[in-house]
Amino acid sequence: MAGDPHDMPFFDEDDAPRFDSARAPAPQSGPSGIAARAMAARQGHNNPPDYLKGLNPEQRQAVETTEGPVLVLAGAGTGKTRVLTTRIAHILSQGLAFPSQILAVTFTNKAAREMKQRVGILVGEAVEGMPWLGTFHSIGVKLLRRHAELAGLRSDFTILDTDDVIRLIKQLIQAEGLDDKRWAPRTFAQMIDGWKNKGLGPDEIPEGDARAFANGRGRELYRAYQDRLTTLNACDFGDLLLHPIRIFRQHHDVLAEYHRKFKYILVDEYQDTNTAQYMWLRLLAQRPKQPSSPRSRGEDAGRQMRGGANVSEASSRPSPGPADHPLPVNGERERNLVNICCVGDDDQSIYGWRGAEVDNILRFEKDFPGATVIRLERNYRSTAHILGAAAHLIAHNEGRLGKTLFTDRPDPEDPKVNVHAAWDSDEEARAVGETIEAYQRDRHKLNDMAILVRASFQMRSFEDRFIEIGLNYRVIGGPRFYERQEIRDAMAFFRVVAQGADDLAFERIVNVPKRGLGDATIRQIHDTARALRVPMLEAAGKLAESDELKPKPRAALREVAANFARWQSLLDTTPHTELAETILEESGYTDMWKNDRSADAPGRLENLKELIRSMEEYESLRAFLEHVALVMDAEQNEGLDAVSIMTLHSAKGLEFETVFLPGWEEGLFPHQRALDEGGRSGLEEERRLAYVGLTRAKKNLHLWFVSNRRIHGLWQSTIPSRFLDELPEAHVEVQEGGGSNYGGYGNPYGGGAFASGRGGFSAGRQNPYGASRFDSLGSPSGGFAGRGDQKGGAAGQERGQGGAFSNSYATPGWARAQQNRTEATSRNWGTRSGHQVERIGYGEVDSGYGAGRTSVKGRTIEGELVAKSVADQPSAFKVGDRVFHQKFGNGNISAIDGNKLTIDFDRAGQKKVLDGFVTAV
DNA sequence: CCCGTCATCATGGCT
DNA sequence: TGATGACGGG
């Protein structure tokens, strides 16, 4: 960090072109060789530069409107990232600013990486000069490291993750003499997080909130927590935003430096900003106002404090906010609008539950008067059917800015959105698997397909099924690399070495591996540290030299202290990867796992190796630790062709040719808890989530609902999601079969099978929204209002929300479904046709696998779950054997991995199947 | 300190 | 149902 040339002086580029001389030719000398090169890419005055070619008029406007506040409402698949990156390229190549004068913030590291990469493609290495492109938090750290002392910290403060925070809070709660069962540390950590999301410090939280925890001692506890962080020279994630906000408010000179520095501000995913982020942006974006407009001052202050029970702080100071502070204004009539460009989509705001305020984007024009609002509605991703379905669904929300996506490439051949019904989640998984295989047979790549679920527990049935049929899949967003125990332990060792004062890390590993240091000893170290006002590591060293301890712990402690002293002495002389290895070896940590008999020990050792390997990219141990604190994700291996399984939340921003959306049932989607806690706005957020799901698909979209789902171990009958009823008939095709229905491909299980008398969806249950047209789907009569046999009799019962459809509450199908309910519950496979026998066969094999499936955990590889052989026994087959498979016919074995065979089928192509499914020919 | 037993509690998961 | 965490006996 220290060597970073962008890090030191603030005003090193003050000669840079100003935005008010925007159209002036680039300075002779050019900002740098790199930027100059970027400029050289610019063409003559009349021809648009290359990078503008291929933009549609709206996109181009969004790129070229560089001055003043701009809100780009970018619908799904409208080229949002392209606009952002091109805009940066445009600013650079027009010489409007140096790379270091652009502040570009994203939410996730992934988004930041992508933006950096794509800007790099446009402007070359100039992107390397963009030190202020990053996440809110990474930029926050950068700011805070520079001004740490203004927040009572040293610049080498550590960043605590959630785990550290919870442990710390637990200590505090216990120190207060409170019961940590009644007052769960986790809950309080969440409360603090919530307050920090709103920009509230201990003195600013609402009285009610303060009282709600720990017998009314919430505020004290919060304050104690902050004090403790300061003592530890540490901060949590929220502080990475809050401290800079405080600093900006209290040190106008500092803020003014950044005002002068940042000529352009760009914000990605603006709809996801929380109040703290909003304040942070406002502070940076809002230039001092002319003293001549006192009224707008007041208004502005009000807005500044919005969200705000933090009036106390505001009123306790002479000036309500730095935005109003009469700073020198470069001697010119400075506009008070900065060149801020926020890009977002109110319809994709799905993070309200963690503090995002959709309101920020809805109020943009009020916050930034005179803002240009540009709508990107031309969608390059999805078919007209998908867009039509999504548009109709999202139109049920109120309080939108309003956008309608359209495509100018409608194709009559495009498939409609498919809605399928299944009996239960197993059948759903089976049928989705069938459909995937059908697509695969049609030469669709698994990489182009994704299953997007509402809740992660839904993943299980798909994983189970895909393992059974040997279908490759990967789970995105599973347990994260840096959150694993072994990684966190190793990191704790490193942290103590790099920063001896890191008590939380020290505590984590004093007794790892076990060396007989129990609670009592640790408490003693704690007390000594407190008494002497030194870090625990130091206290431990002192204690080991004293007679305070019994011989055993004393010796152990002495060794620990000596170890750390030795490692710390190596810090500057030994390459950090080597040192890391030494630490893990000498501490006995690797041995601990080597001696561990449990099944996951080898994997953990593997992870540790991976950890060391990943350190190589970083200059120093310290740089690496910082990276990990901020970037908790690790890359996934993309090489394998596999279906992606992930939650709807983690799918935002992605796209797939073919998308499966299972679990569209009331209670699951929309999720009951979202409804309970969020009421109407909760429902609207769920609907936006549905919208996000639909708009991930480029071409093929399959929605599923089941009539029975096991929730917390209990089978519950469910009713179709109201969202299904909010889809427009014109774009939807209902697949009555329940099994796979993929044009042209026979469903091996027989499409009609599902409908054979087992259609009793919610029949026995009152649907609070009135009956759904899907209620009777799957019944023998196939009664679906949207399929030509309109239920005229029910036409009068339009629903308030999804009222575009008649319901089928009184249909024969519904009645029959009701009748069949009991029978259906018994799950009578025997009624199935010949094809179903095959499935029974599967079932038998399934149970056969039950025993062998114990090592199922073994499929976790670097955060990626991969369908993998689960049996230890080698297959009875050998490569080259000719075999027969019920479904795929004859083929030759091309590879064997345990009992998983890769077979080149004569007709069906290459498949991976388990050996139980084939017979030798 | 280790390990078995019991109770609890189940969205989303970024930084 | 099943995973996780706290507790108490060995």
Side-chain angles (χ1 to χ4, degrees), chain A residues 772-801:
Chain A
S772 159
R773 64 183 157 130
F774 294 97
D775 282 350
S776 61
L777 176 56
S779 71
S781 70
F784 168 55
R787 281 186 50 92
D789 58 330
Q790 288 280 355
K791 300 299 182 294
Q797 302 184 349
E798 283 201 352
R799 303 213 246 155
Q801 273 285 315

Side-chain angles (χ1 to χ4, degrees), chain A residues 525-596:
Chain A
I525 299 172
H526 233 283
D527 294 344
T528 313
R530 283 250 165 139
L532 299 177
R533 300 178 155 274
V534 296
M536 287 178 75
L537 174 60
E538 208 178 317
K542 292 220 156 67
L543 217 47
E545 301 308 319
S546 74
D547 296 328
E548 305 276 327
L549 296 170
K550 297 198 177 97
K552 255 188 256 164
R554 189 174 148 184
L557 215 47
R558 184 178 299 178
E559 195 199 331
V560 169
N563 276 347
F564 276 109
R566 190 172 64 258
W567 296 328
Q568 282 173 340
S569 73
L570 294 173
L571 193 54
D572 294 324
T573 54
T574 316
H576 62 285
T577 46
E578 204 176 297
L579 176 60
E581 272 182 283
T582 309
I583 294 169
L584 296 184
E585 285 298 329
E586 293 185 357
S587 63
Y589 193 70
T590 29
D591 285 340
M592 178 181 111
W593 287 117
K594 279 180 187 159
N595 297 331
D596 191 303

Side-chain angles (χ1 to χ4, degrees), chain A residues 585-653:
Chain A
E585 285 298 329
E586 293 185 357
S587 63
Y589 193 70
T590 29
D591 285 340
M592 178 181 111
W593 287 117
K594 279 180 187 159
N595 297 331
D596 191 303
R597 294 325 233 132
S598 63
D600 46 2
R604 293 182 193 270
L605 285 165
E606 211 36 56
N607 289 338
L608 289 171
K609 271 190 204 147
E610 173 61 28
L611 177 71
I612 305 274
R613 212 151 41 98
S614 66
M615 292 175 74
E616 284 168 12
E617 296 170 38
Y618 297 86
E619 273 178 29
S620 64
L621 192 58
R622 174 150 299 167
F624 178 69
L625 292 175
E626 172 120 338
H627 165 80
V628 174
L630 288 174
V631 185
M632 292 289 286
D633 61 353
E635 258 109 273
Q636 297 224 342
N637 121 51
E638 292 293 321
L640 184 76
D641 188 36
V643 188
S644 296
I645 304 178
M646 69 188 93
T647 63
L648 285 161
H649 281 93
S650 47
K652 192 168 74 148

Side-chain angles (χ1 to χ4, degrees), chain A residues 626-704:
Chain A
E626 172 120 338
H627 165 80
V628 174
L630 288 174
V631 185
M632 292 289 286
D633 61 353
E635 258 109 273
Q636 297 224 342
N637 121 51
E638 292 293 321
L640 184 76
D641 188 36
V643 188
S644 296
I645 304 178
M646 69 188 93
T647 63
L648 285 161
H649 281 93
S650 47
K652 192 168 74 148
L654 305 178
E655 60 176 32
F656 298 89
E657 184 88 4
T658 302
V659 168
F660 299 88
L661 302 174
W664 284 47
E665 300 121 36
E666 283 296 315
L668 178 59
F669 195 29
H671 199 283
Q672 193 54 49
R673 224 165 123 176
L675 267 34
D676 293 346
E677 289 169 13
R680 170 158 191 100
S681 72
L683 173 63
E684 295 212 341
E685 184 156 308
E686 293 288 289
R687 192 177 281 117
R688 291 192 292 266
L689 196 52
Y691 175 80
V692 167
L694 298 177
T695 53
R696 296 310 94 195
K698 291 200 233 176
K699 193 156 184 199
N700 309 301
L701 183 53
H702 297 266
L703 316 191
W704 292 82

Side-chain angles (χ1 to χ4, degrees), chain A residues 124 141 185-186 263 299-300 324 337 342 508-509 516 621 681 685 793 913:
Chain A
V141 178
R186 182 174 298 272
K263 307 284 187 231
E299 282 169 14
D300 184 64
D324 302 274
L337 299 179
C342 295
R508 183 183 177 99
I509 44 78
L621 192 58
S681 72
E685 184 156 308
V913 299

